[in-house]
Amino acid sequence: MNFGRYIIRHEIGRGGMAVVYRAYDPKFKRDVALKVLPHYLLNDLAFRKRFDREARIIASLEHDAVVTVYDYGESESKPFLVMRLMTGGSLIDRLQKGSLSTQEIEHIMVRICAALDKAHAQGVIHRDLKPANILFDDSGQPFLADFGIARLTDATQTATIVGTPQYMAPEQALGRKIDARTDVYQMGILLYEMLTGKTPFSGSESSGILYQQVHEPPPSLRRHNTRLPHVYQRIVDGSLAKNPDQRFPSAGALANAFSAAVHGRPIITPAPNRSRGLWAGVGVAFVFIALIASGLLWFRTDNLVVGGPIAPPSATTTVTLTPTATPTTPSVATATIARETPATATSTTPATPAPIPTATQGNNRVPILPTDTPVLPQLTPTSTATPPLRSDGLSGRIVFTRNPQGHRFETTEVVVLDLDTGRTTQLTANDVADWNPDWSPDGQAITFTSFVSGNYDIWVMNADGSNRRNLISTPAWDDYPVWSADSAQIGFISTGVTNDVPNSELFTGSSTATVRQISFNTGRDEWPSWSPDGQFIAVSSDQDGDFDIYVYGIGGGVTNLTNDSAAFDEQPNWSADGEWIVFIRKTSDTNGNGRMERRDDGDYGNVFVMRRDGSDVRQLTFDNAAADPAWSPDGQHIVFSHFKDSNGNGVLDIDDAADLWVVPFGGGTPITLTSGSEQDWSPDWTQ
């Protein structure tokens, strides 16, 4: 049996839509792979068109990781496709021989994903990625093959369910519109299989595999191989999200993340929602019938556009920063310092804060304290040189909390990193907790929390660590201090009483001014940030059951900026121009205890920014490992704590080490500032 000049040697493969032969080309004296339609499809016009389209698609790609098309023709009304003969077998053969090394997997991912990016750039979606379609030449180079069901992306796709069930993306299984992220999902399945030897979902259509693809989270990689690093799980999660918007945006981004993980470089991964599914308890047949018949049901999507704007909150959740009425009748908190009764609910004019009396030493405004105020023992700062002058353009000084190796909170210290010289300087060394530092607006002083007097109180010191002294002291736990823009007051969190319920509330005060309670609710208010105009303080609060961002007016009133019951929004920080608020959004349980918790309990999230009215939300990191964001003085970068699985337990928790990373405000690859076994957290940045 011949096709034109090609002499058939023997059959080498057969599928439902094609038969592949090894053939000889006498013109070029080489063996080739010759693909033909099976006899029962020769009269099917749709399959003949698909066959013709495959030839044109492959010929147009011209990528060195796509199997080359030599010829296309027809013999006795039988169309055939002539391609390069791949003699190294398929990925099926490699998987059957045993586990692949991470270097082999990386090589496959990089080459195949590059070929997919090329295809996607030309509007071609493969949509049938599986081990049988990854072929190798005799030198072991992987190639992408079989574009038989590839599709050209357009805006008028109809509901057509085609593909291999074990590798089918949710939108594909539902017959909905596909795009490049459909191939990203399938590459995630392949990565899962190369790492574990198994696909995450198994079975047939009749046994419910399509239901699993649409509804069920994939089993953990470590269920199959406990030695796999936790970072691999985050990469797989970033490709197998049910919602395409929560996957890697391209195949190349997926490959780059895996390559970085293999070589120990920082990575950014999306933050997929690993929920139990979209319509729990609904059968596959019902879902298919309802979706195809009505066209109304589809994946839940957030309004998030990575690196870009989103629609503002709906009319029912529109927010304003005009102070409104205080929601409850306040009670005065118990403390040894007299606490001022809050402004009345009808007040809309911010109260004038009482200034801290200061002694002027050049630009250094040093609060004058009562003579009986305890003073911290003075420490000669210790410095260590780190890499010299930076090449990334970052400058200024970052003060932060450092837990030593072992991460015992009672020995945390305040440290300063000078970005211009690369030098770190430890400012405290008291064998007690010193944490949550915040620069004064002029960069000449630092306020922080210390346990040196046997209670958590608010302290202050000069920028070089000298002249440390107690600023605010109550019988309660006083924490999270932040300066007002005019340096006149400190905002902080302490124990207040609302409706006879003791809880953490927002206060303002100084060493001499009356301490005022600002928030009144029965939840926890934490991580305050003062607006540059001095009129508002943003906090994270769980007063509605989960943590969201609220803004309190100094003269009264409160505004809820975020309200996502499926997420924790925490640790707000106001930009210097007052237009943006950066915060952490948590959507998953990172410490593995079965529930999502606040940052201080050990769960972490991703860096987000939004405008001061809660609109234009943007996501900047994607690996669920971030905490404690703060702005650079010029508003162009954000520094944050990035946690890593240093104890090897497969999760991220409060015991893990953390480094300081910086991400551009416009999005991009993070820059690592510190790296080590310590836990570096709660940074603040000044000139």
Side-chain angles (χ1 to χ4, degrees):
M1 177 173 56
N2 293 348
F3 287 82
R5 71 172 187 265
Y6 302 100
I7 303 170
I8 300 299
R9 295 191 184 277
H10 56 82
E11 183 179 316
I12 57 175
R14 178 181 292 266
M17 292 178 286
V19 181
V20 181
Y21 297 95
R22 182 170 186 149
Y24 179 69
D25 181 358
K27 181 177 180 179
F28 292 100
K29 296 181 172 55
R30 64 187 177 190
D31 281 356
V32 296
L34 191 144
K35 184 175 183 178
V36 301
L37 281 175
H39 68 277
Y40 53 84
L41 293 178
L42 290 176
N43 295 323
D44 190 314
L45 181 60
F47 277 92
R48 291 181 73 100
K49 288 182 177 180
R50 178 181 293 172
F51 198 81
D52 176 72
R53 185 176 67 246
E54 178 183 9
R56 289 185 287 107
I57 286 174
I58 300 177
S60 69
L61 291 180
E62 297 181 353
H63 191 279
D64 62 2
V66 174
V67 177
T68 306
V69 171
Y70 293 145
D71 193 9
Y72 176 69
E74 199 170 285
S75 176
E76 298 179 355
S77 299
K78 299 176 182 177
F80 63 88
L81 182 62
V82 182
M83 300 175 293
R84 177 181 174 183
L85 180 66
M86 308 301 294
T87 58
S90 71
L91 183 56
I92 291 178
D93 304 316
R94 303 269 172 132
L95 291 170
Q96 288 176 344
K97 291 178 181 178
S99 60
L100 300 173
S101 69
T102 52
Q103 289 73 24
E104 289 176 301
I105 297 173
E106 178 193 8
H107 184 58
I108 293 169
M109 292 292 294
V110 168
R111 273 183 59 86
I112 300 304
C113 286
L116 286 171
D117 279 351
K118 172 75 173 188
H120 297 159
Q122 296 183 210
V124 176
I125 311 301
H126 191 287
R127 64 174 180 168
D128 196 23
L129 298 169
K130 56 187 177 182
N133 290 337
I134 305 236
L135 306 179
F136 295 85
D137 64 10
D138 53 9
S139 67
Q141 292 295 322
F143 290 80
L144 181 58
D146 199 349
F147 284 77
I149 65 169
R151 182 153 203 171
L152 298 174
T153 56
D154 55 56
T156 58
Q157 294 182 26
T158 56
T160 303
I161 302 173
V162 292
T164 305
Q166 288 85 350
Y167 304 88
M168 199 176 287
E171 64 272 20
Q172 201 176 1
L174 292 168
R176 306 296 287 191
K177 184 175 180 178
I178 63 171
D179 59 22
R181 297 167 298 180
T182 302
D183 283 349
V184 169
Y185 184 95
Q186 294 190 340
M187 284 305 299
I189 297 280
L190 282 173
L191 176 59
Y192 188 107
E193 187 173 10
M194 287 188 285
L195 290 169
T196 67
K198 301 178 183 297
T199 56
F201 307 112
S202 60
S204 62
E205 292 183 52
S206 60
S207 65
I209 188 172
L210 296 184
Y211 181 90
Q212 297 174 52
Q213 295 283 21
V214 173
H215 293 272
E216 297 292 339
S220 167
L221 292 171
R222 293 169 71 91
R223 177 182 297 182
H224 306 293
N225 185 346
T226 58
R227 295 174 297 175
L228 290 174
H230 180 68
V231 66
Y232 290 179
Q233 183 67 59
R234 298 206 301 271
I235 294 170
V236 167
D237 288 347
S239 56
L240 297 186
K242 306 301 184 185
N243 183 345
D245 289 340
Q246 295 176 329
R247 297 176 201 154
F248 285 98
S250 68
L254 167 58
N256 290 340
F258 185 73
S259 182
V262 169
H263 296 284
R265 299 192 301 268
I267 67 168
I268 297 180
T269 58
N273 180 359
R274 290 175 57 83
S275 64
R276 295 290 300 176
L278 306 175
W279 302 280
V282 181
V284 173
F286 175 80
V287 172
F288 277 16
I289 292 171
L291 287 171
I292 295 173
S294 68
L296 295 177
L297 295 181
W298 181 226
F299 291 99
R300 171 189 173 272
T301 57
D302 297 325
N303 286 328
L304 173 66
V305 177
V306 176
I310 68 165
S314 64
T316 58
T317 59
T318 299
V319 296
T320 175
L321 288 187
T322 302
T324 55
T326 305
T328 56
T329 302
S331 300
V332 178
T334 303
T336 55
I337 296 178
R339 300 199 180 204
E340 185 179 274
T341 302
T344 61
T346 58
S347 172
T348 59
T349 302
T352 301
I356 302 175
T358 60
T360 302
Q361 299 176 0
N363 290 325
N364 188 6
R365 307 183 70 222
V366 183
I368 298 174
L369 304 168
T371 55
D372 60 349
T373 300
V375 177
L376 281 167
Q378 300 303 296
L379 165 73
T380 301
T382 60
S383 299
T384 58
T386 52
L389 296 176
R390 308 188 62 85
S391 60
D392 48 32
L394 302 179
S395 64
R397 295 166 294 159
I398 296 177
V399 65
F400 61 97
T401 304
R402 171 166 283 176
N403 290 18
Q405 189 170 2
H407 313 145
R408 296 172 57 236
F409 279 100
E410 62 269 24
T411 58
T412 57
E413 306 294 353
V414 176
V415 178
V416 169
L417 168 63
D418 189 323
L419 294 172
D420 299 314
T421 64
R423 183 179 296 276
T424 56
T425 302
Q426 182 177 323
L427 300 185
T428 64
N430 306 301
D431 291 328
V432 297
D434 298 310
W435 59 29
N436 289 332
D438 186 75
W439 288 107
S440 62
D442 60 8
Q444 299 300 309
I446 299 168
T447 182
F448 61 103
T449 301
S450 180
F451 195 71
V452 70
S453 61
N455 188 51
Y456 287 103
D457 296 319
I458 308 302
W459 289 70
V460 68
M461 61 184 166
N462 294 346
D464 63 359
S466 63
N467 195 22
R468 289 186 298 280
R469 60 261 186 218
N470 184 216
L471 187 63
I472 298 172
S473 179
T474 79
W477 181 325
D478 304 324
D479 203 355
Y480 307 106
V482 290
W483 294 88
S484 61
D486 60 2
S487 300
Q489 294 218 76
I490 298 291
F492 64 100
I493 300 299
S494 188
T495 301
V497 178
T498 303
N499 296 334
D500 298 324
V501 177
N503 59 328
S504 56
E505 302 278 20
L506 172 63
F507 291 83
T508 62
S510 69
S511 60
T512 57
T514 302
V515 173
R516 292 181 56 223
Q517 184 174 340
I518 303 297
S519 68
F520 296 88
N521 59 77
T522 56
R524 290 176 294 187
D525 293 345
E526 297 176 342
W527 294 93
S529 177
W530 216 308
S531 66
D533 61 10
Q535 305 301 303
F536 304 96
I537 298 179
V539 300
S540 52
S541 175
D542 69 345
Q543 58 189 269
D544 64 350
D546 66 282
F547 276 93
D548 292 306
I549 307 301
Y550 289 78
V551 171
Y552 286 91
I554 297 302
V558 57
T559 301
N560 180 200
L561 290 189
T562 68
N563 189 18
D564 185 344
S565 60
F568 276 17
D569 295 335
E570 300 179 355
Q571 306 158 62
N573 193 287
W574 225 301
S575 64
D577 63 4
E579 293 301 316
W580 296 88
I581 295 174
V582 64
F583 63 100
I584 295 296
R585 172 164 289 175
K586 297 190 299 193
T587 57
S588 63
D589 166 30
T590 65
N591 64 14
N593 66 355
R595 61 185 181 274
M596 196 162 61
E597 298 172 308
R598 66 203 247 276
R599 178 258 186 271
D600 288 352
D601 294 321
D603 276 334
Y604 309 108
N606 292 307
V607 177
F608 284 71
V609 293
M610 63 181 169
R611 293 195 182 273
R612 61 181 290 147
D613 64 356
S615 67
D616 201 5
V617 180
R618 302 164 183 250
Q619 182 173 353
L620 301 184
T621 68
F622 300 89
D623 60 357
N624 287 326
D628 319 326
W631 293 90
S632 62
D634 63 4
Q636 298 304 304
H637 293 85
I638 294 164
V639 63
F640 62 97
S641 306
H642 183 269
F643 283 76
K644 53 192 178 183
D645 182 20
S646 59
N647 56 20
N649 65 355
V651 296
L652 295 181
D653 53 46
I654 203 70
D655 296 322
D656 280 319
D659 303 323
L660 296 185
W661 283 17
V662 168
V663 64
F665 171 42
T669 303
I671 301 167
T672 302
L673 296 184
T674 66
S675 180
S677 59
E678 302 91 356
Q679 189 179 85
D680 295 342
W681 55 284
S682 190
D684 190 44
W685 200 335
T686 193
Q687 296 286 2

